[in-house]
Amino acid sequence: MKSAACIVALITGMSAAAAQSGPAYVGKWGVEGPDACRDGVGTDDLKATFTAKQFEYYASTCRVMSSRRLSRSGATAHRFKLQCEGEGAKVDKEVILVVLEKTDPRPELLLHIDAASWDTLTYQRCGD
């Protein structure tokens, strides 16, 4: 329950400045920071691309079946129901994406939370 309370605090603490014309999660992200964003040997499994209709990971692609906004501060937090395919398997799952806006001490981050297990990955936005 502590994890859920921390996430709610992060979501409700977002400023209105984080709100954008589109969802904040859309784009390319690297799980180990900007070095993972570079094309090259050993980095493909560290990248993900999120759009409003599809999530692309290294070994799977997920179609967004439904989504709902969790944040009153704009498009910073969403919960998704996904249908995923990869490595010969199909699975339905739910994930929560929370974008933490860039501040002076840290870059823009995306929390990728498995809604069933609360396992969390932290991504950093890739540059253009």
Side-chain angles (χ1 to χ4, degrees):
M1 280 305 207
K2 278 188 175 184
S3 296
C6 289
I7 291 167
V8 170
L10 286 170
I11 293 169
T12 57
M14 298 290 168
S15 72
Q20 300 174 0
S21 60
Y25 63 85
V26 170
K28 293 182 181 185
W29 299 84
V31 77
E32 292 186 358
D35 289 342
C37 297
R38 294 189 189 116
D39 289 334
V41 178
T43 61
D44 288 343
D45 59 339
L46 302 176
K47 294 182 264 191
T49 302
F50 303 113
T51 70
K53 296 183 181 196
Q54 183 170 290
F55 294 1
E56 292 182 29
Y57 304 95
Y58 171 64
S60 64
T61 299
C62 300
R63 191 167 51 121
V64 175
M65 302 309 294
S66 67
S67 68
R68 67 183 169 104
R69 192 175 56 139
L70 299 176
S71 170
R72 288 186 244 168
S73 64
T76 58
H78 290 79
R79 184 177 183 124
F80 299 89
K81 288 186 180 182
L82 306 172
Q83 279 188 342
C84 301
E85 289 187 49
E87 299 182 343
K90 292 183 181 182
V91 64
D92 292 340
K93 65 181 181 177
E94 290 188 44
V95 299
I96 298 167
L97 299 183
V98 179
V99 177
L100 305 177
E101 67 185 39
K102 182 178 179 175
T103 63
D104 220 10
R106 71 167 162 70
E108 182 179 33
L109 299 175
L110 178 137
L111 302 178
H112 182 284
I113 305 159
D114 182 294
S117 66
W118 289 98
D119 288 341
T120 304
L121 288 173
T122 303
Y123 288 85
Q124 191 172 331
R125 189 178 294 277
C126 294
D128 293 332

